[in-house]
Amino acid sequence: MPRWSMILVVACLLIAGPVWADASASQAAAPPFEETDDEFYDPFDEGSEDLYGDEGEAMDSVADPIAGFNRAMFSFNDKLYFWVLKPVASGYRVILPTPVRVSIKNFFFNLLMPVRLVNCLLQGKGRAAEGEFGRFVTNSTAGMLGFLNPAKDYPHLNPPEEDLGQTLGHYGVDNGFYIVWPVFGPSTLRDTVGSFGDWALNPFSFMKLVNVDSKALTSDTTNVAVYTTRTVNDTSFRIGDYEALKNAALDPYEAFRNAYIQNRDSKIAE
């Protein structure tokens, strides 16, 4: 994990310490999560389907021994969404028309091919690996470096997305326990470990925007710029989704936890 990520996590933990303590103390007395008007779409959660389906099953599938910490981080991310991410993404959506934002999304997705390809191979999914490589070649050439997505018209070039967390689950590694990271959102111990491997396969992890003698723009700076741009761009398509799901839940924390686990289980089963 890059140095800036570790510094960010430590800073967030220090900031959230009082919130965590307060959340832990109030759990036995009252519902620990206060409703707010908005949310965290969860730009950090790539899927939230079937949010309210069979919550009991999801709760039984993963332990949550650090619920106090997780609720504090959920609250932190929730405020980050409403106070920072949503306003920025809303302005971004006004400035950039939809075709431009779609092209940016396509570009990032195309360059992340190594993560998906390697995990297809690790799972022994040869046809999916061929599809990933074929999609990359098609979109990088006919798709003008990936800004366009002509491969979408060919089903065999659109295999399910794979990551190392799914690969570990494919081989029977258990979720471990549930954890919510500041900024990065919901995860499990297994998926957190997997994210380190995915980071190592991510081309953006080793790029520099500008190579200058002053080193003002390092690879860490590039990571922050790329992650921020991708997150804002993705969120610009989903404004309102998080709010609707959160406001419909009796306990948003539990609803999003269960949705995350169900979504990950469904991806591993594909």
Side-chain angles (χ1 to χ4, degrees):
M1 179 179 291
R3 293 186 302 275
W4 67 267
S5 299
M6 295 300 298
I7 294 173
L8 178 61
V9 170
V10 172
C12 291
L13 292 177
L14 293 175
I15 293 172
V19 181
W20 181 12
D22 181 70
S24 299
S26 63
Q27 282 181 346
F33 193 93
E34 295 182 1
E35 290 281 341
T36 59
D37 293 335
D38 288 301
E39 105 65 300
F40 212 48
Y41 137 69
D42 212 305
F44 315 118
D45 178 8
E46 298 265 332
S48 298
E49 29 207 79
D50 192 21
L51 182 64
Y52 307 110
D54 197 2
E55 293 187 359
E57 179 181 345
M59 291 176 66
D60 292 338
S61 67
V62 63
D64 191 5
I66 55 172
F69 169 84
N70 288 338
R71 286 184 180 275
M73 292 302 99
F74 182 85
S75 178
F76 175 87
N77 288 340
D78 184 77
K79 289 179 173 58
L80 181 65
Y81 173 85
F82 286 116
W83 296 352
V84 180
L85 183 56
K86 184 179 179 180
V88 171
S90 297
Y92 177 90
R93 184 168 65 175
V94 170
I95 295 172
L96 294 182
T98 299
V100 174
R101 291 183 286 118
V102 169
S103 294
I104 293 173
K105 183 176 182 178
N106 291 340
F107 176 76
F108 283 127
F109 183 86
N110 192 56
L111 283 187
L112 289 172
M113 179 274 296
V115 176
R116 300 187 299 272
L117 175 62
V118 170
N119 281 290
C120 284
L121 293 173
L122 289 175
Q123 295 180 42
K125 298 180 177 180
R127 289 187 179 274
E130 292 176 1
E132 281 290 351
F133 186 74
R135 174 167 55 190
F136 176 76
V137 172
T138 301
N139 287 347
S140 297
T141 53
M144 300 177 64
L145 301 180
F147 286 102
L148 302 179
N149 184 21
K152 71 179 183 300
D153 297 323
Y154 303 92
H156 67 285
L157 297 181
N158 291 271
E161 297 177 39
E162 303 289 350
D163 57 47
L164 189 54
Q166 292 169 236
T167 298
L168 294 174
H170 175 78
Y171 287 106
V173 178
D174 188 72
N175 280 303
F177 58 86
Y178 182 68
I179 183 168
V180 179
W181 291 109
V183 179
F184 299 105
S187 185
T188 60
L189 180 60
R190 180 190 65 204
D191 289 347
T192 297
V193 171
S195 68
F196 285 96
D198 291 336
W199 174 83
L201 293 169
N202 186 339
F204 294 113
S205 300
F206 307 98
M207 293 173 60
K208 293 185 179 181
L209 289 176
V210 179
N211 189 4
V212 293
D213 293 337
S214 64
K215 297 183 178 179
L217 292 176
T218 64
S219 58
D220 286 353
T221 305
T222 302
N223 288 337
V224 174
V226 169
Y227 181 80
T228 300
T229 301
R230 187 184 177 207
T231 298
V232 171
N233 190 73
D234 288 350
T235 304
S236 70
F237 294 100
R238 300 163 173 167
I239 294 174
D241 292 352
Y242 173 89
E243 295 88 325
L245 296 175
K246 176 187 169 184
N247 292 336
L250 295 176
D251 185 338
Y253 167 76
E254 289 191 1
F256 277 92
R257 178 190 62 191
N258 297 339
Y260 175 81
I261 299 303
Q262 290 172 12
N263 181 59
R264 294 298 290 171
D265 287 347
S266 68
K267 287 181 177 294
I268 292 171
E270 289 179 346

Coordinates of all heavy atoms in Angstrom, one line a residue, residues 14-57:
L14 N -7.4 8.6 13.9 CA -7.3 9.6 14.9 C -8.5 10.5 15.0 O -9.0 10.8 16.1 CB -6.0 10.4 14.8 CG -4.7 9.6 14.9 CD1 -3.5 10.5 14.6 CD2 -4.5 9.0 16.3
I15 N -8.9 10.9 13.8 CA -10.1 11.8 13.8 C -11.3 11.1 14.3 O -12.2 11.7 15.0 CB -10.3 12.3 12.3 CG1 -9.1 13.2 11.9 CG2 -11.6 13.1 12.2 CD1 -9.2 13.6 10.4
A16 N -11.5 9.8 13.9 CA -12.7 9.1 14.2 C -12.7 8.4 15.6 O -13.7 7.9 16.0 CB -12.9 8.0 13.2
G17 N -11.6 8.6 16.3 CA -11.5 7.9 17.6 C -12.7 8.2 18.5 O -13.3 7.4 19.1
P18 N -13.0 9.6 18.7 CA -14.1 9.9 19.6 C -15.4 9.4 19.1 O -16.3 9.0 19.8 CB -14.0 11.4 19.6 CG -12.6 11.8 19.3 CD -12.2 10.7 18.3
V19 N -15.6 9.4 17.7 CA -16.8 8.9 17.2 C -17.0 7.5 17.4 O -18.1 7.0 17.7 CB -16.8 9.2 15.6 CG1 -18.1 8.7 15.0 CG2 -16.6 10.7 15.4
W20 N -15.9 6.7 17.3 CA -16.0 5.3 17.5 C -16.4 5.0 19.0 O -17.2 4.1 19.2 CB -14.6 4.7 17.2 CG -14.5 3.2 17.4 CD1 -15.5 2.3 17.6 CD2 -13.3 2.4 17.4 NE1 -15.0 1.0 17.7 CE2 -13.7 1.1 17.6 CE3 -11.9 2.8 17.2 CZ2 -12.7 0.1 17.6 CZ3 -11.0 1.7 17.3 CH2 -11.4 0.4 17.5
A21 N -15.7 5.7 19.9 CA -16.0 5.5 21.3 C -17.5 5.8 21.6 O -18.2 5.0 22.3 CB -15.1 6.3 22.2
D22 N -18.0 6.9 21.0 CA -19.4 7.2 21.2 C -20.3 6.2 20.6 O -21.4 5.8 21.2 CB -19.7 8.6 20.6 CG -21.1 9.0 20.8 OD1 -21.5 9.3 22.0 OD2 -21.8 9.1 19.8
A23 N -20.0 5.7 19.4 CA -20.8 4.7 18.8 C -20.9 3.4 19.5 O -21.9 2.8 19.7 CB -20.3 4.4 17.3
S24 N -19.7 3.0 20.1 CA -19.7 1.8 20.9 C -20.5 1.9 22.1 O -21.2 0.9 22.5 CB -18.2 1.4 21.2 OG -17.5 1.3 20.0
A25 N -20.5 3.1 22.8 CA -21.2 3.2 24.0 C -22.7 3.3 23.8 O -23.4 2.9 24.7 CB -20.7 4.5 24.7
S26 N -23.1 3.7 22.7 CA -24.5 3.9 22.5 C -25.2 2.7 21.8 O -26.5 2.7 21.7 CB -24.8 5.1 21.5 OG -24.2 4.9 20.3
Q27 N -24.5 1.7 21.5 CA -25.1 0.6 20.7 C -26.2 -0.2 21.5 O -27.2 -0.6 21.0 CB -24.0 -0.5 20.3 CG -23.2 0.0 19.1 CD -22.2 -1.0 18.7 OE1 -21.9 -2.0 19.5 NE2 -21.7 -0.9 17.6
A28 N -26.0 -0.4 22.8 CA -26.9 -1.1 23.7 C -28.1 -0.3 24.0 O -29.2 -0.8 24.4 CB -26.2 -1.6 24.9
A29 N -28.1 1.0 23.9 CA -29.1 1.9 24.4 C -30.1 2.3 23.3 O -31.3 2.4 23.5 CB -28.6 3.1 25.1
A30 N -29.6 2.5 22.1 CA -30.4 3.1 21.0 C -29.9 2.7 19.7 O -28.7 2.3 19.6 CB -30.5 4.6 21.2
P31 N -30.7 2.9 18.6 CA -30.1 2.6 17.3 C -28.9 3.5 17.0 O -29.0 4.7 17.2 CB -31.3 3.0 16.3 CG -32.5 2.8 17.2 CD -32.1 3.2 18.6
P32 N -27.7 2.9 16.7 CA -26.5 3.6 16.6 C -26.3 4.5 15.4 O -25.3 5.2 15.3 CB -25.5 2.5 16.6 CG -26.2 1.4 16.0 CD -27.6 1.5 16.4
F33 N -27.2 4.5 14.4 CA -27.0 5.2 13.2 C -28.1 6.2 13.0 O -29.2 5.9 13.1 CB -26.9 4.3 12.0 CG -26.4 4.9 10.8 CD1 -25.1 4.8 10.5 CD2 -27.2 5.7 9.9 CE1 -24.6 5.5 9.3 CE2 -26.8 6.3 8.8 CZ -25.4 6.2 8.5
E34 N -27.7 7.5 12.8 CA -28.7 8.5 12.6 C -28.9 8.7 11.1 O -28.0 8.8 10.3 CB -28.2 9.9 13.2 CG -28.0 9.8 14.7 CD -27.5 11.1 15.3 OE1 -27.4 12.1 14.5 OE2 -27.4 11.3 16.5
E35 N -30.2 8.9 10.8 CA -30.5 9.1 9.4 C -30.1 10.5 9.0 O -30.2 11.5 9.8 CB -32.0 9.0 9.2 CG -32.5 7.6 9.4 CD -32.3 6.8 8.1 OE1 -32.1 7.4 7.0 OE2 -32.3 5.6 8.2
T36 N -29.5 10.6 7.8 CA -29.2 11.9 7.2 C -29.9 12.0 5.9 O -30.4 11.0 5.4 CB -27.7 12.1 7.1 OG1 -27.2 11.1 6.3 CG2 -27.0 12.1 8.4
D37 N -29.8 13.1 5.3 CA -30.5 13.3 4.0 C -29.8 12.6 2.9 O -30.4 12.2 1.9 CB -30.6 14.8 3.6 CG -31.4 15.5 4.6 OD1 -32.3 14.9 5.2 OD2 -31.3 16.7 4.8
D38 N -28.5 12.3 3.0 CA -27.8 11.8 1.8 C -26.8 10.7 2.3 O -26.8 10.2 3.4 CB -27.0 12.8 1.2 CG -27.8 13.8 0.4 OD1 -28.5 13.3 -0.5 OD2 -27.8 15.0 0.7
E39 N -25.9 10.5 1.5 CA -25.1 9.4 1.7 C -23.7 9.2 1.2 O -23.1 10.0 0.6 CB -25.5 8.4 0.8 CG -24.5 8.4 -0.2 CD -23.2 8.2 -0.4 OE1 -22.4 8.6 0.1 OE2 -22.8 7.6 -1.1
F40 N -23.4 8.1 1.0 CA -22.2 7.7 0.4 C -22.7 6.7 -0.7 O -22.9 5.6 -0.3 CB -21.3 6.9 1.3 CG -19.9 7.2 1.0 CD1 -19.5 8.4 0.8 CD2 -19.1 6.1 0.9 CE1 -18.1 8.6 0.5 CE2 -17.8 6.3 0.6 CZ -17.3 7.5 0.4
Y41 N -22.8 7.1 -1.9 CA -23.4 6.2 -2.8 C -22.9 4.8 -2.5 O -23.5 3.8 -2.6 CB -23.1 6.5 -4.3 CG -22.7 5.3 -5.0 CD1 -23.7 4.3 -5.3 CD2 -21.4 5.1 -5.3 CE1 -23.3 3.2 -6.0 CE2 -21.1 3.9 -6.0 CZ -22.0 3.0 -6.3 OH -21.7 1.9 -6.9
D42 N -21.9 4.9 -2.1 CA -20.7 4.2 -1.9 C -20.0 4.1 -3.2 O -20.1 3.1 -3.9 CB -20.9 2.8 -1.2 CG -19.7 2.5 -0.4 OD1 -18.6 2.6 -0.9 OD2 -19.9 2.2 0.8
P43 N -19.3 5.1 -3.5 CA -18.5 5.0 -4.7 C -17.4 4.0 -4.6 O -16.8 3.6 -5.5 CB -17.8 6.4 -4.7 CG -17.8 6.9 -3.4 CD -19.0 6.3 -2.7
F44 N -17.2 3.5 -3.3 CA -16.2 2.5 -3.1 C -16.7 1.1 -3.1 O -16.0 0.1 -3.0 CB -15.5 2.8 -1.7 CG -15.2 4.2 -1.5 CD1 -15.8 4.9 -0.5 CD2 -14.4 4.9 -2.4 CE1 -15.5 6.2 -0.3 CE2 -14.1 6.2 -2.2 CZ -14.7 6.9 -1.2
D45 N -18.0 1.0 -3.3 CA -18.7 -0.3 -3.4 C -19.2 -0.4 -4.9 O -20.1 0.3 -5.3 CB -19.8 -0.4 -2.5 CG -20.6 -1.7 -2.6 OD1 -20.1 -2.6 -3.3 OD2 -21.6 -1.9 -1.9
E46 N -18.6 -1.3 -5.6 CA -18.9 -1.4 -7.0 C -20.2 -2.0 -7.3 O -20.7 -2.1 -8.4 CB -17.8 -2.2 -7.7 CG -16.5 -1.5 -7.6 CD -16.2 -0.6 -8.8 OE1 -16.7 -0.9 -9.9 OE2 -15.5 0.3 -8.6
G47 N -20.9 -2.5 -6.3 CA -22.2 -3.2 -6.6 C -23.1 -3.2 -5.3 O -22.6 -3.5 -4.3
S48 N -24.3 -2.9 -5.5 CA -25.2 -2.9 -4.3 C -26.5 -3.5 -4.6 O -27.6 -3.0 -4.2 CB -25.4 -1.4 -3.8 OG -24.2 -0.8 -3.4
E49 N -26.5 -4.5 -5.5 CA -27.8 -5.1 -5.9 C -28.4 -5.9 -4.8 O -27.7 -6.4 -3.9 CB -27.5 -6.0 -7.1 CG -26.2 -6.5 -7.0 CD -25.4 -6.9 -8.2 OE1 -24.9 -6.0 -8.9 OE2 -25.3 -8.1 -8.4
D50 N -29.7 -6.0 -4.9 CA -30.5 -6.8 -3.9 C -30.1 -6.4 -2.5 O -29.8 -7.1 -1.6 CB -30.2 -8.3 -4.0 CG -31.2 -9.1 -3.2 OD1 -32.3 -8.6 -2.9 OD2 -30.9 -10.3 -2.9
L51 N -30.2 -5.0 -2.2 CA -29.8 -4.5 -1.0 C -30.6 -5.0 0.2 O -30.0 -5.2 1.3 CB -30.0 -3.0 -1.0 CG -29.5 -2.2 0.2 CD1 -28.0 -2.4 0.4 CD2 -29.9 -0.8 0.2
Y52 N -31.9 -5.3 0.0 CA -32.6 -5.8 1.2 C -33.1 -7.2 1.1 O -33.9 -7.6 1.8 CB -33.9 -4.9 1.3 CG -33.5 -3.4 1.3 CD1 -33.8 -2.6 0.2 CD2 -32.8 -2.9 2.3 CE1 -33.4 -1.3 0.2 CE2 -32.4 -1.6 2.3 CZ -32.7 -0.8 1.3 OH -32.3 0.6 1.3
G53 N -32.4 -8.0 0.2 CA -32.8 -9.4 0.1 C -32.2 -10.2 1.1 O -31.0 -10.3 1.2
D54 N -33.0 -11.0 1.9 CA -32.5 -12.0 2.8 C -31.3 -11.5 3.6 O -30.2 -12.0 3.6 CB -32.1 -13.2 2.1 CG -32.0 -14.4 3.0 OD1 -32.3 -14.2 4.3 OD2 -31.7 -15.5 2.6
E55 N -31.5 -10.4 4.4 CA -30.4 -9.9 5.2 C -29.9 -10.9 6.2 O -28.7 -10.8 6.6 CB -30.9 -8.6 5.9 CG -31.2 -7.5 5.0 CD -31.5 -6.2 5.7 OE1 -31.5 -6.2 6.9 OE2 -31.8 -5.2 5.0
G56 N -30.7 -11.7 6.8 CA -30.3 -12.7 7.7 C -29.2 -13.6 7.2 O -28.2 -13.9 7.9
E57 N -29.4 -14.0 6.0 CA -28.4 -14.9 5.4 C -27.0 -14.2 5.3 O -26.0 -14.8 5.5 CB -28.8 -15.3 4.0 CG -27.8 -16.3 3.3 CD -28.3 -16.7 1.9 OE1 -29.5 -16.5 1.6 OE2 -27.5 -17.2 1.1

